[in-house]
Amino acid sequence: MPRHLTDRPARILFCSWAFPPSIGGIETSSLILVNQMIRNGLHVEVLTWTPDSGDKTAFPYPVHRRPSPFQLLRLVRSCDLVYQNNISLNTLWPSLLIRRPVVVTNHTPIDATIERSKLKRKLKFVAMRFATACTSCS
């Protein structure tokens, strides 16, 4: 149901392959974007493959680490929009099955220097055609 027809804030599933406690550019931009989304009144849950640091109170929002395929499906089903902070086929496939709007921000070019698998490279380009919006960091 569109957000303007409900009384609840929009639910964003923010997917970032890397997330704190890992350190780097994608981790930093993810943290900034998630915190700003929350300040703007959105409900955000983070999905990442970065292992848990053991500190369960590190973030004031849910951070799902290394979810199973069933957990991933449940998370996508419960959100209004999937935000991919750098496209990842591992977290994108449920959005295609459950049909949620997807926003993709690319941080690196999808070329042979970054994505060595020719099939994965082609699949990422195809998947981006179905995204609601695509952006990139400069």
Side-chain angles (χ1 to χ4, degrees):
M1 180 177 291
R3 181 181 168 353
H4 67 278
L5 298 178
T6 68
D7 290 332
R8 68 171 174 76
R11 299 177 63 87
I12 311 296
L13 180 60
F14 190 97
C15 304
S16 181
W17 187 263
F19 195 75
S22 180
I23 299 171
I26 291 174
E27 296 89 334
T28 301
S29 72
S30 294
L31 206 51
I32 291 168
L33 288 168
V34 168
N35 289 334
Q36 190 59 48
M37 288 176 181
I38 289 173
R39 273 190 224 107
N40 287 336
L42 302 172
H43 174 87
V44 181
E45 295 193 26
V46 174
L47 185 145
T48 185
W49 256 252
T50 299
D52 191 356
S53 67
D55 183 4
K56 301 291 185 202
T57 61
F59 303 102
Y61 41 82
V63 178
H64 306 277
R65 298 178 185 276
R66 299 183 177 198
S68 71
F70 294 113
Q71 290 170 318
L72 190 52
L73 282 166
R74 181 183 54 77
L75 289 167
V76 170
R77 186 176 290 121
S78 69
C79 75
D80 298 315
L81 179 132
V82 175
Y83 187 100
Q84 292 262 315
N85 198 27
N86 218 26
I87 191 165
S88 168
L89 297 174
N90 290 333
T91 59
L92 187 62
W93 64 268
S95 307
L96 302 174
L97 294 176
I98 298 174
R99 304 204 28 103
R100 291 295 185 262
V102 176
V103 174
V104 175
T105 296
N106 285 313
H107 290 261
T108 57
I110 302 170
D111 62 15
T113 62
I114 302 296
E115 185 59 71
R116 302 207 190 292
S117 165
K118 193 179 270 189
L119 176 61
K120 279 177 121 179
R121 214 169 37 241
K122 287 182 181 184
L123 286 173
K124 285 182 178 184
F125 280 119
V126 169
M128 286 175 42
R129 288 184 185 162
F130 293 98
T132 306
C134 293
T135 65
S136 41
C137 291
S138 59

